[in-house]
Amino acid sequence: MKTEQQILKRKGDICALCGSQRRLFEPTVLYCNGACGMQRIRRNAAYYTDPSRLNHWCVPCFGLLRENQPIVLDDGSEVQKANLQKLKNDALPEEAWVQCDDCHGWVHQICALFNGRKNKTAASYSCPKCYIKDKRKRDDDEVTPVKCAKDLPHCKMSEALEDGLYKALDKAYEEKAKELQCSPDQIEKAEGLSIRVVSNMEKKHMVRDEMYERYSKRGYSSEFPVRSKCVLLFQSIHGVDVLLFGMYVYEYDHNCPAPNRRRVYISYLDSIHYFQPRCFRTTIYHSILIEYLRFVKERGFHTAHIWSCPPSKGDDYIFYCHPAQQLTPRDDMLCAWYHGMLDHAKAEGVVLEVKSLYDEYFKNEGKDAFAGPAVDPMCLPYFEGDYIPGEIENIIKDVNLEEEAKKKELAGKGSARSQRKIGRKQGTRSNPGELVNQERDKVMLRLGQAMSNMKQNFMVVHLRSRKFAAAVERGEDVSNWMEKDEEEEVKMTKGKDSSILYSGEGKAKAEDDDASMVESLDAPSVTISDDGSERSGKSKKGMKSSSTMKPVACTDDEDPSVESECFDSRQQFLNYCQANHFQFDELRRAKHSTMMVLFHLHNPNAPKFLQQCGACYREITHGIRYHCNNCSNFDLCQDCYEPVTTGVWAQRDPRFAHDKKHTFTPVDMEASGGDNQKDRQERAKAIKMHLELLSHAANCNGPPGCSLNNCIRMKKLFEHVRTCSVTYKRGCKVCARLLALLSMHARLCTVRGTCAIPFCDRIRERNRRLRQQQQLMDDRRRQAQNELY
């Protein structure tokens, strides 16, 4: 057996590190671009694809395509139905190999932690075994240290989360030592932890069509500005960083319209179970959530929302391909996990109270809602990816169909009965006045019925008093609002007797303190003097020490914006990992995937996806890439260029045939451009100015009303893109630059209907199909939870 293994190793048929031969990745997930709306193409099923193999159609959607009508692809190019190729979804991608220049043995790139993006033609490679063997002969200065997770820039939020994490661990070590009756120094510690915020972007969440159409005339907002953030936890395992935990959150600040104003939504959590030691895993993840709630509370947010819902079978939230032995938690287990975390947060004074969304807005027909009767969905927080927006869309569709059927029935009978009018409010939002002809909305009633059996899954976390939250909902000025510091009270109480926090006497006393605090807040004369002392024209009877009163912040984010194309959204990162086979199902793969993620975070201008050779289908990592000037997306590597273009290989296999009239442009894959912080800042500033000019030129009538030279130039660029015979696909740099700018505009465009800026509608349609992937997954998990209850 050993002899056979040695023979295979000499031939290069097995990996010198792991001793395995072929290692296969998970099959690539393909989505249909046709009428079925980004549904997955089943494994081993036939499908059709364009020549660049970037757009796919299942067999039923292919049948719906018209023969003589051109098909617009995602990159804007067009193709005829006859030119689509029929394939079978049975490909099994294999892990790539790399050869050692010292021992000439072959190893898997993942086993060797080889970064193909940094591969150069003249570069030499030594496998780990040869490197260790010759380490004494090498000069340490020759080795350039690889940037790791701790080298990523910190921000105030990541520092706060990391500091709180280590404090929670110190406390957990002491508790573990007491349990085992030993010294805390003898407890195995969790080492090498790093928390970083890798994405911090301003976005606009659009209200979905049915909701907007039904309630826009009653003053409902069409969009909600939001700040999206991605938080990652890394741990150094065996000296290599491993990405273990990810969290996406949405923050709706004080400038956002109600009902989302000053709220945060914990959108997605995901983890990989390689954390060491395992006994502190729950402590770590709970701590990150508690410290985040503490951080946003200090910034002035009054409520956090959580939807407890495990992923549906076959779906991943953030990380692609989890370990087989890591089980997906049941619905009740996940819900208990969240409630356990919130109990800890409540004990520390971070959280005041936890309610279900049902109790907050639907109990007692919504009459007990803190900001006034909840009679329609306009009062409900509206978060992208949440249960409510998707369920409301389905309910409104059903209600509309029923109303249409009822109208037809009444028209057929000739009935002249007048329908009851919907209740309206007298006055303004800040001064609503008296409710007139008020009744519960049909959509609200059905939504309450749908949520009544699973109300424990929708958690409303009170970070601030409901008095403050109600003032925010009404749009009042809360810039000088003062509130009691609950965390300080908890610390003071724990120093004496923590049991009174949860005893009946302690609870009654806390309620009395809250009541007296609210009374003091009603007095308009409460101010802060220059020396920091508190002045009030009202008696302080019932109030505690003024040191426990703090002003509520205005939610401004002091951390700089961080744009990362990979982490723009959960779906973006998942697609990025799927396309590059960055899996987390084995520790060796998790290490390699993390290494590649860190490489892109440290090198934001590095290509996220490498072009594949159209003949051998390998990624072109180094040397010369030959790009076809006539095809929209066709490239050849150095080895395949000559035999394909001369037609030598086409004589053996027609699959290699390529039009000889087509011309190719050589591209040096090893040419590098400058990339530093100052250049990126200048580039961001220039992009912002060009986007403003783009919007101006598209809506401007030009001379003689406008005499700006830049406006005239931009209009000429619009005309160039419309009439250019070369186009960006064949190498026109003017077209390529303007279309890149148009893509940036389309990502931020919130115009409903036709946008005046050229090509914006077409690009938005492509982006809409990408977002549809996300909505389909949200719909699947919502339907699964509806079926469960």
Side-chain angles (χ1 to χ4, degrees):
M1 189 70 180
K2 286 185 178 180
T3 306
E4 185 179 345
Q5 286 281 88
Q6 290 172 354
I7 294 172
L8 290 172
K9 188 179 289 187
R10 282 199 298 269
K11 287 183 177 180
D13 291 337
I14 66 170
C15 175
L17 296 177
C18 70
S20 302
Q21 291 180 286
R22 296 182 67 200
R23 281 185 176 264
L24 302 178
F25 287 116
E26 281 293 304
T28 304
V29 180
L30 302 179
Y31 296 94
C32 177
N33 292 79
C36 66
M38 299 301 290
Q39 294 285 350
R40 283 187 180 183
I41 297 175
R42 294 195 314 274
R43 188 71 184 153
N44 295 317
Y47 71 98
Y48 292 84
T49 184
D50 63 281
S52 61
R53 302 193 179 186
L54 294 177
N55 301 265
H56 316 291
W57 291 265
C58 61
V59 174
C61 290
F62 174 79
L64 298 176
L65 298 175
R66 297 183 181 179
E67 295 290 343
N68 299 324
Q69 185 174 346
I71 304 166
V72 180
L73 305 181
D74 281 346
D75 61 358
S77 60
E78 296 180 351
V79 67
Q80 295 293 329
K81 181 179 180 179
N83 295 332
L84 299 181
Q85 304 172 12
K86 186 176 182 180
L87 298 175
K88 188 178 181 180
N89 187 18
D90 59 354
L92 288 172
E94 182 181 350
E95 287 189 14
W97 297 73
V98 60
Q99 187 179 28
C100 176
D101 291 320
D102 295 330
C103 66
H104 304 291
W106 288 86
V107 294
H108 293 118
Q109 291 187 10
I110 289 178
C111 291
L113 291 176
F114 180 81
N115 185 350
R117 301 296 196 271
K118 298 177 71 174
N119 193 17
K120 306 294 180 184
T121 304
S124 61
Y125 171 72
S126 297
C127 68
K129 288 186 176 181
C130 291
Y131 176 79
I132 295 172
K133 186 178 180 181
D134 299 337
K135 188 176 181 180
R136 294 178 180 177
K137 302 177 183 179
R138 297 176 184 269
D139 186 0
D140 290 340
D141 294 337
E142 295 179 3
V143 181
T144 304
V146 178
K147 289 185 176 181
C148 53
K150 66 180 181 181
D151 297 319
L152 291 171
H154 252 310
C155 64
K156 287 191 175 183
M157 177 170 157
S158 62
E159 288 175 348
L161 298 187
E162 201 169 284
D163 291 345
L165 174 66
Y166 279 109
K167 289 177 182 177
L169 278 174
D170 290 338
K171 186 178 178 181
Y173 297 151
E174 293 177 1
E175 292 176 356
K176 193 72 175 177
K178 288 181 182 178
E179 179 186 338
L180 300 177
Q181 297 181 351
C182 64
S183 170
D185 295 334
Q186 297 176 286
I187 301 296
E188 183 183 2
K189 306 292 195 301
E191 304 289 349
L193 299 176
S194 301
I195 296 179
R196 294 296 185 272
V197 178
V198 296
S199 178
N200 183 354
M201 302 174 61
E202 289 186 357
K203 295 183 177 180
K204 289 184 180 179
H205 285 170
M206 301 293 294
V207 175
R208 295 174 73 168
D209 294 338
E210 297 292 340
M211 178 76 174
Y212 182 74
E213 184 177 347
R214 187 174 183 90
Y215 296 102
S216 60
K217 294 179 181 178
R218 295 163 62 181
Y220 194 65
S221 178
S222 64
E223 62 190 25
F224 294 101
V226 63
R227 185 168 285 271
S228 169
K229 294 183 179 181
C230 176
V231 182
L232 300 181
L233 169 69
F234 301 87
Q235 185 180 28
S236 180
I237 301 176
H238 309 142
V240 181
D241 284 323
V242 181
L243 179 54
L244 297 176
F245 175 85
M247 176 172 72
Y248 276 89
V249 295
Y250 295 141
E251 297 177 359
Y252 301 84
D253 64 14
H254 62 282
N255 294 317
C256 180
N260 285 13
R261 189 182 296 126
R262 287 184 183 258
R263 297 177 186 266
V264 297
Y265 178 58
I266 298 177
S267 180
Y268 291 99
L269 297 182
D270 202 357
S271 66
I272 304 295
H273 74 171
Y274 300 127
F275 181 83
Q276 298 176 359
R278 291 190 61 183
C279 59
F280 297 119
R281 194 167 60 192
T282 300
T283 301
I284 289 291
Y285 301 153
H286 276 186
S287 173
I288 294 174
L289 284 166
I290 292 171
E291 293 306 318
Y292 175 71
L293 294 177
R294 192 195 312 274
F295 182 77
V296 295
K297 177 181 180 179
E298 291 175 356
R299 284 179 50 208
F301 293 91
H302 63 67
T303 306
H305 294 260
I306 301 173
W307 174 22
S308 172
C309 180
S312 303
K313 185 178 180 181
D315 283 331
D316 290 310
Y317 274 174
I318 298 176
F319 301 115
Y320 175 50
C321 207
H322 289 66
Q325 61 271 28
Q326 181 175 346
L327 302 178
T328 302
R330 297 195 313 268
D331 186 81
D332 57 338
M333 291 175 61
L334 183 61
C335 193
W337 186 89
Y338 275 117
H339 280 288
M341 178 272 297
L342 293 172
D343 287 341
H344 284 299
K346 195 171 180 180
E348 293 185 18
V350 176
V351 171
L352 303 183
E353 188 180 7
V354 180
K355 279 190 172 184
S356 69
L357 191 76
Y358 183 88
D359 291 339
E360 189 95 341
Y361 292 99
F362 296 92
K363 193 175 181 180
N364 193 20
E365 297 184 350
K367 296 176 182 177
D368 299 333
F370 68 91
V375 296
D376 56 43
M378 293 170 59
C379 65
L380 299 176
Y382 194 93
F383 308 125
E384 186 172 290
D386 190 31
Y387 177 90
I388 288 177
E391 191 67 16
I392 283 178
E393 292 296 291
N394 291 338
I395 292 174
I396 292 177
K397 288 177 183 177
D398 293 340
V399 169
N400 288 342
L401 290 174
E402 292 174 6
E403 290 177 351
E404 286 294 324
K406 191 173 182 179
K407 285 180 182 178
K408 290 180 181 179
E409 183 182 351
L410 291 174
K413 294 179 179 180
S415 173
R417 277 184 299 174
S418 61
Q419 297 185 14
R420 188 181 298 174
K421 294 182 180 180
I422 299 174
R424 297 178 181 175
K425 288 184 177 181
Q426 290 181 341
T428 61
R429 186 176 186 85
S430 59
N431 183 22
E434 183 184 354
L435 296 174
V436 180
N437 194 25
Q438 192 75 12
E439 68 171 10
R440 292 276 284 178
D441 185 272
K442 290 181 181 178
V443 178
M444 195 71 172
L445 283 169
R446 297 194 184 188
L447 183 62
Q449 292 168 1
M451 299 179 68
S452 60
N453 293 328
M454 48 177 153
K455 54 186 178 182
Q456 71 278 0
N457 294 81
F458 303 95
M459 302 162 210
V460 181
V461 184
H462 297 175
L463 304 176
R464 297 279 178 184
S465 69
R466 293 302 88 186
K467 183 86 172 177
F468 174 72
V472 170
E473 289 293 291
R474 292 192 296 266
E476 296 179 8
D477 181 13
V478 293
S479 56
N480 295 321
W481 194 281
M482 303 284 293
E483 282 211 344
K484 183 171 65 174
D485 189 348
E486 295 290 335
E487 293 183 61
E488 191 67 28
E489 292 292 319
V490 169
K491 291 177 184 176
M492 292 170 63
T493 309
K494 281 185 177 179
K496 298 176 182 178
D497 182 7
S498 60
S499 63
I500 70 169
L501 280 173
Y502 306 105
S503 66
E505 182 183 352
K507 186 175 181 182
K509 187 175 184 297
E511 290 174 356
D512 291 340
D513 288 340
D514 286 343
S516 62
M517 179 194 70
V518 169
E519 288 176 7
S520 68
L521 292 177
D522 289 337
S525 57
V526 176
T527 57
I528 303 295
S529 63
D530 294 337
D531 60 357
S533 62
E534 195 172 305
R535 296 177 183 174
S536 175
K538 189 173 180 177
S539 171
K540 294 184 180 180
K541 182 180 177 181
M543 270 190 65
K544 287 209 166 189
S545 170
S546 61
S547 62
T548 63
M549 300 295 292
K550 285 187 177 180
V552 179
C554 66
T555 74
D556 285 335
D557 191 1
E558 297 180 7
D559 290 336
S561 295
V562 180
E563 292 201 16
S564 175
E565 186 179 350
C566 295
F567 292 97
D568 181 22
S569 67
R570 176 205 68 85
Q571 190 66 49
Q572 289 269 101
F573 180 65
L574 195 57
N575 289 347
Y576 163 70
C577 289
Q578 288 175 346
N580 290 288
H581 304 296
F582 294 160
Q583 300 181 187
F584 293 83
D585 54 337
E586 300 174 4
L587 181 58
R588 54 186 283 277
R589 284 178 172 172
K591 289 179 178 179
H592 184 266
S593 299
T594 303
M595 179 190 73
M596 298 307 300
V597 168
L598 286 171
F599 171 75
H600 285 297
L601 288 173
H602 285 296
N603 302 273
N605 288 346
K608 308 299 181 294
F609 307 95
L610 291 179
Q611 288 84 358
Q612 283 187 331
C613 176
C616 65
Y617 303 118
R618 290 180 300 180
E619 288 185 338
I620 307 173
T621 60
H622 60 280
I624 303 298
R625 170 174 63 89
Y626 293 91
H627 177 71
C628 181
N629 297 323
N630 304 87
C631 300
S632 63
N633 192 358
F634 186 82
D635 299 89
L636 292 171
C637 64
Q638 285 184 169
D639 298 332
C640 300
Y641 173 69
E642 188 173 342
V644 169
T645 54
T646 57
V648 174
W649 285 0
Q651 295 175 2
R652 297 182 309 179
D653 190 340
R655 180 171 63 89
F656 297 107
H658 197 82
D659 195 336
K660 293 183 178 181
K661 296 179 181 179
H662 289 191
T663 59
F664 287 81
T665 300
V667 179
D668 187 359
M669 296 297 292
E670 298 169 26
S672 60
D675 180 27
N676 55 58
Q677 184 68 20
K678 186 176 180 181
D679 291 340
R680 289 198 294 270
Q681 289 176 352
E682 290 293 329
R683 182 173 177 268
K685 184 178 178 181
I687 288 173
K688 184 178 180 181
M689 293 175 61
H690 278 84
L691 287 174
E692 293 173 355
L693 177 60
L694 191 75
S695 179
H696 167 83
N699 295 282
C700 177
N701 295 325
C706 179
S707 59
L708 292 175
N709 291 331
N710 286 336
C711 176
I712 298 171
R713 289 175 184 173
M714 184 61 74
K715 287 183 177 294
K716 289 181 178 178
L717 288 176
F718 290 161
E719 188 63 27
H720 170 85
V721 173
R722 292 191 182 99
T723 59
C724 181
S725 58
V726 179
T727 73
Y728 77 98
K729 292 180 292 183
R730 300 180 183 178
C732 178
K733 293 183 178 180
V734 175
C735 289
R737 289 174 181 173
L738 184 60
L739 287 172
L741 195 65
L742 291 169
S743 297
M744 294 179 189
H745 160 80
R747 183 163 59 91
L748 300 171
C749 182
T750 58
V751 175
R752 291 184 179 267
T754 304
C755 179
I757 294 179
F759 302 102
C760 177
D761 293 338
R762 182 184 292 185
I763 298 171
R764 283 195 297 168
E765 174 60 24
R766 181 195 64 184
N767 295 340
R768 185 194 64 80
R769 289 202 296 269
L770 294 175
R771 285 197 305 272
Q772 203 167 13
Q773 280 183 259
Q774 169 72 42
Q775 290 182 359
L776 284 171
M777 197 210 73
D778 292 334
D779 290 343
R780 283 195 297 272
R781 65 173 184 157
R782 192 182 69 253
Q783 290 165 6
Q785 203 161 58
N786 285 340
E787 291 171 1
L788 184 64
Y789 292 96

